[in-house]
């Protein structure tokens, strides 16, 4: 998917950028210059090939160094190439035999195309050797084939290492560091224990990478690199994750630059709805440290709404926080607030009699309740969000034998010295769909949310002395 950027007009003075592509099949067709912005691809310029099949992209201001693409009128990538400091060069493409492509005035692209040719040739050989390995009948044959595969893999590693050692500041070196597989970190080191390996990998994972370098966004590797780091090397606790994120964001330099803007929103998006329960606290930590009562030149109104709304819906139901009171009324019209309920564990369920998913899930929850939860003193506090459907509500309770539950609905008028925020249970408990389920302990502290019933039972078993 490509996003279009408006292209500024080009003046008559000598261009800072002049990139030419040549191929007979190009003539008179429309082509685009495209680049990366993190995981996104963006169209940056367009031009029509002349009768000789020459395409020339010109620009007054240099592009940020990185991987770029020549794209045809059907938005298909013709070739990838590198833009580095030298932005006046030409590439004569041989589309049938890419290894015969010729490049003028760009050593980096010569190396880039050479590397891609080597990589393609090695991959083809490895595919053939892998077939031979599957058919091998003796240990000696298997060992010989594995040795050949290892030699091919090592040739790629050696090529990358040579580029990095010769010119560590070159954009190609940066790309190789960003795309470096985990196993390549251990090629020149032997470590005694697994913990030694983890420590070594963590210390070297971002070697050669400066988070203030805007070239990091002009390729597709950055998010994968960061995600791998957090998935493999960072403990999956909110505190550990927050510490690592803050370290990265604090190293992005000026908070109005593209590195901070991209990474701060990337991390916010990641932890607004995390895969691990409780790690939404990371989002709140990011918000409080970098966005609360702050604004930036790059921050759009849509982003502000997302950040503020998400924080409002998460901050009061974080695992480990005390649950705010719910001002509710029982079926028979009596006040029955959450803080009036005393039990070792309370399962709070927000549901709606007109919600098909709720009608399916609540009977299942009751089965688990009767089998595993009731005997532990657990109480279920079920909040009907649609009390106007009173007949359906009562009939459902009777039909599904939910009489052991505490059934309530929102109190229409709350009396007392309470702010609007204190009675807005839908925001306090992030009720934007149904059903929504929380587990509280005897102190009304959140212990679990947004997990399966079986896992609620597991957590209760873990919490019991």
């Amino acid at each position: 998917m490509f996003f279009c950027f408006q292209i500024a007009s080009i003046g008559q003075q000598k261009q800072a950028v002049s990139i030419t592509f040549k191929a007979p099949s190009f003539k008179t067709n429309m082509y685009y210059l495209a680049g990366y912005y993190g995981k996104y691809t963006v169209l940056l310029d367009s031009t029509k090939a002349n009768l000789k099949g020459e395409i020339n992209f010109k620009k007054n201001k240099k592009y940020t160094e990185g991987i770029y693409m020549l794209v045809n009128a059907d938005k298909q990538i013709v070739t990838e190439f590198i833009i580095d400091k030298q932005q006046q060069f030409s590439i004569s493409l041989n589309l049938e035999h890419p290894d015969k492509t010729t490049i003028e005035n760009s050593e980096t692209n010569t190396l880039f195309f050479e590397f891609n040719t080597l990589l393609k040739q090695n991959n083809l050989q490895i595919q053939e050797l892998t077939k031979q390995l599957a058919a091998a009948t003796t240990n000696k044959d298997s060992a010989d084939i594995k040795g050949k595969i290892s030699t091919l893999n090592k040739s790629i590693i050696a090529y990358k290492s040579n580029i990095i050692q010769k010119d560590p500041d070159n954009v190609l070196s940066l790309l190789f560091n960003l795309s470096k597989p985990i196993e390549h970190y251990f090629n020149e080191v032997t470590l005694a224990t697994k913990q030694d390996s983890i420590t070594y990998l963590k210390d070297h994972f971002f070697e050669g990478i400066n988070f203030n370098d805007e070239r990091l966004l002009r390729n597709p590797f950055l998010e994968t690199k960061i995600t791998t780091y957090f998935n493999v090397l960072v403990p999956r606790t909110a505190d550990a994750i927050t510490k690592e994120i803050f370290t990265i964001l604090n190293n992005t330099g000026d908070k109005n630059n593209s590195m901070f803007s991209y990474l701060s929103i990337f991390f916010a998006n990641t932890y607004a709805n995390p895969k691990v329960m409780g790690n939404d606290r990371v989002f709140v930590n990011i918000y409080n440290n970098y966005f609360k009562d702050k604004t930036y030149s790059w921050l759009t109104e849509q982003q502000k709404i997302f950040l503020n709304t998400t924080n409002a819906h998460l901050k009061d139901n974080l695992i480990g926080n005390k649950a705010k009171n719910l001002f509710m009324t029982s079926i028979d019209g009596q006040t029955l607030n959450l803080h009036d309920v005393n039990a070792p564990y309370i399962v709070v369920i927000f549901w709606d009699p007109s919600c098909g998913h709720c009608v399916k899930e609540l009977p299942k929850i009751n089965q688990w309740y009767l089998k595993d939860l009731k005997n532990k003193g657990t109480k279920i506090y079920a909040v009907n969000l649609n009390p106007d459907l009173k007949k359906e509500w009562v009939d459902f309770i009777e039909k599904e034998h939910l009489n052991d539950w505490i059934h309530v609905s929102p109190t229409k008028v709350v009396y007392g010295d309470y702010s609007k925020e204190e009675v807005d249970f839908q925001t306090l408990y992030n009720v934007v769909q149904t059903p929504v389920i929380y587990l509280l302990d005897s102190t009304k502290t959140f212990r679990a949310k947004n997990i399966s019933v079986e896992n609620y039972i597991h957590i209760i078993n873990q919490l019991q002395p």
Side-chain angles (χ1 to χ4, degrees):
M1 182 178 182
F2 290 92
F3 297 88
C4 294
F5 281 10
Q6 185 177 357
I7 309 302
S9 60
I10 298 174
Q12 299 300 313
Q13 70 269 32
K14 182 178 179 181
Q15 306 299 324
V17 178
S18 179
I19 301 172
T20 302
F21 295 91
K22 302 173 185 178
S25 62
F26 288 167
K27 59 183 178 182
T28 72
N29 292 319
M30 180 64 72
Y31 287 88
Y32 300 90
L33 175 65
Y36 289 98
Y37 186 70
K39 66 180 179 181
Y40 306 104
T41 48
V42 296
L43 296 179
L44 302 168
D45 201 353
S46 63
T47 191
K48 202 170 187 177
N50 62 24
L51 292 173
K52 295 180 181 179
E54 296 175 338
I55 303 165
N56 184 243
F57 295 103
K58 295 181 178 181
K59 189 169 178 279
N60 290 332
K61 184 179 178 181
K62 283 190 172 185
Y63 289 106
T64 301
E65 298 174 45
I67 298 177
Y68 288 78
M69 294 155 278
L70 177 65
V71 178
N72 64 23
D74 295 324
K75 304 301 189 292
Q76 296 172 326
I77 298 173
V78 178
T79 189
E80 288 189 325
F81 63 99
I82 300 292
I83 293 182
D84 63 354
K85 294 176 182 177
Q86 169 54 269
Q87 300 191 11
Q88 296 191 9
F89 58 86
S90 68
I91 300 176
S92 297
L93 286 166
N94 189 321
L95 299 177
E96 292 185 5
H97 303 284
D99 56 313
K100 295 183 179 179
T101 291
T102 59
I103 298 162
E104 297 178 19
N105 205 34
S106 177
E107 182 182 355
T108 299
N109 274 298
T110 299
L111 293 171
F112 181 65
F113 277 78
E114 182 180 88
F115 171 76
N116 285 334
T117 298
L118 175 65
L119 185 62
K120 183 178 179 181
Q121 291 172 347
N122 280 20
N123 285 341
L124 288 173
Q125 293 181 62
I126 289 172
Q127 288 176 17
E128 181 58 35
L129 287 168
T130 301
K131 292 178 184 178
Q132 295 177 22
L133 183 61
T137 56
T138 67
N139 290 337
K140 182 180 182 305
D141 289 343
S142 295
D144 288 344
I145 294 169
K146 288 179 181 177
K148 292 177 182 178
I149 292 174
S150 177
T151 298
L152 289 168
N153 284 326
K154 286 179 180 178
S155 69
I156 295 296
I157 297 170
Y159 189 99
K160 291 180 176 180
S161 298
N162 185 51
I163 298 294
I164 293 170
Q165 290 173 7
K166 282 186 175 180
D167 192 357
D169 294 327
N170 187 281
V171 66
L172 200 55
S173 298
L174 176 65
L175 298 175
F176 287 156
N177 281 323
L178 278 173
S179 58
K180 188 175 183 178
I182 284 178
E183 58 270 19
H184 290 188
Y185 285 88
F186 302 108
N187 286 316
E188 298 178 359
V189 62
T190 301
L191 301 163
T193 67
K194 181 179 179 180
Q195 186 55 52
D196 289 341
S197 298
I198 292 172
T199 301
Y200 177 85
L201 184 58
K202 194 169 188 291
D203 289 343
H204 292 81
F205 197 78
F206 291 124
E207 204 166 58
I209 295 170
N210 175 5
F211 285 104
N212 192 21
D213 186 347
E214 297 195 2
R215 298 179 302 171
L216 292 174
L217 295 177
R218 299 311 190 268
N219 65 82
F221 307 126
L222 179 61
E223 284 192 22
T224 300
K225 183 79 170 178
I226 290 174
T227 301
T228 300
Y229 179 77
F230 279 88
N231 287 344
V232 175
L233 297 171
V234 179
R236 297 191 177 187
T237 65
D239 287 346
I241 294 168
T242 297
K243 180 181 177 182
E244 296 288 345
I245 289 174
F246 283 11
T247 297
I248 290 173
L249 293 181
N250 290 341
N251 284 325
T252 58
D254 186 347
K255 298 302 179 284
N256 279 305
N257 70 19
S258 59
M259 285 306 302
F260 177 77
S261 66
Y262 188 92
L263 288 176
S264 62
I265 295 297
F266 164 72
F267 285 125
N269 280 327
T270 300
Y271 292 98
N273 187 24
K275 295 178 181 179
V276 177
M277 182 185 70
N279 281 348
D280 47 359
R281 183 179 291 275
V282 176
F283 174 92
V284 175
N285 292 340
I286 293 170
Y287 178 87
N288 287 336
N289 201 66
Y290 296 104
F291 293 104
K292 185 178 180 180
D293 301 324
K294 295 182 176 72
T295 189
Y296 305 102
S297 59
W298 52 266
L299 194 62
T300 67
E301 194 60 35
Q302 185 177 4
Q303 289 170 329
K304 289 178 185 178
I305 292 171
F306 159 71
L307 292 164
N308 292 333
T309 301
T310 303
N311 179 69
H313 280 264
L314 293 180
K315 66 182 179 66
D316 292 303
N317 53 74
L318 299 172
I319 302 300
N321 283 13
K322 291 290 183 70
K324 302 291 186 180
N325 201 5
L326 290 170
F327 300 96
M328 299 288 155
T329 302
S330 66
I331 292 179
D332 59 5
Q334 301 300 310
T335 297
L336 189 46
N337 299 335
L338 175 63
H339 285 186
D340 296 330
V341 178
N342 294 307
Y345 306 100
I346 303 171
V347 177
V348 179
I349 304 175
F350 296 91
W351 71 291
D352 184 332
S354 66
C355 161
H357 187 53
C358 300
V359 170
K360 290 180 181 178
E361 289 300 309
L362 265 62
K364 296 178 185 177
I365 294 171
N366 194 43
Q367 290 177 8
W368 287 103
Y369 171 70
L370 295 174
K371 179 184 176 183
D372 296 295
L373 297 179
K374 185 177 179 180
N375 61 4
K376 293 179 171 61
T378 304
K379 292 183 180 180
I380 295 184
Y381 189 80
V383 181
N384 171 19
L385 300 177
N386 196 351
D388 291 340
L389 298 178
K390 184 158 186 181
K391 183 178 185 306
E392 291 84 349
W393 183 18
V394 173
D395 289 348
F396 182 76
I397 293 170
E398 293 298 324
K399 176 187 174 185
E400 301 299 339
H401 309 291
L402 307 181
N403 297 305
D404 286 337
W405 296 18
I406 299 171
H407 295 281
V408 296
S409 61
T411 299
K412 292 182 178 179
V413 179
V414 178
Y415 295 98
D417 187 19
Y418 300 107
S419 66
K420 180 181 178 182
E421 289 74 20
E422 288 176 299
V423 299
D424 180 9
F425 70 91
Q426 289 175 302
T427 299
L428 293 172
Y429 283 77
N430 194 21
V431 182
V432 295
Q433 59 185 9
T434 54
V436 174
I437 306 174
Y438 292 95
L439 174 65
L440 312 181
D441 65 15
S442 60
T443 67
K444 309 296 188 301
T445 297
F446 288 103
R447 291 297 189 174
K449 61 180 179 179
N450 302 328
I451 56 175
S452 66
V453 176
E454 297 93 327
N455 282 327
Y456 284 107
I457 296 167
H458 178 66
I459 290 173
I460 288 175
N461 289 334
Q462 284 184 321
L463 293 172
Q464 285 191 316

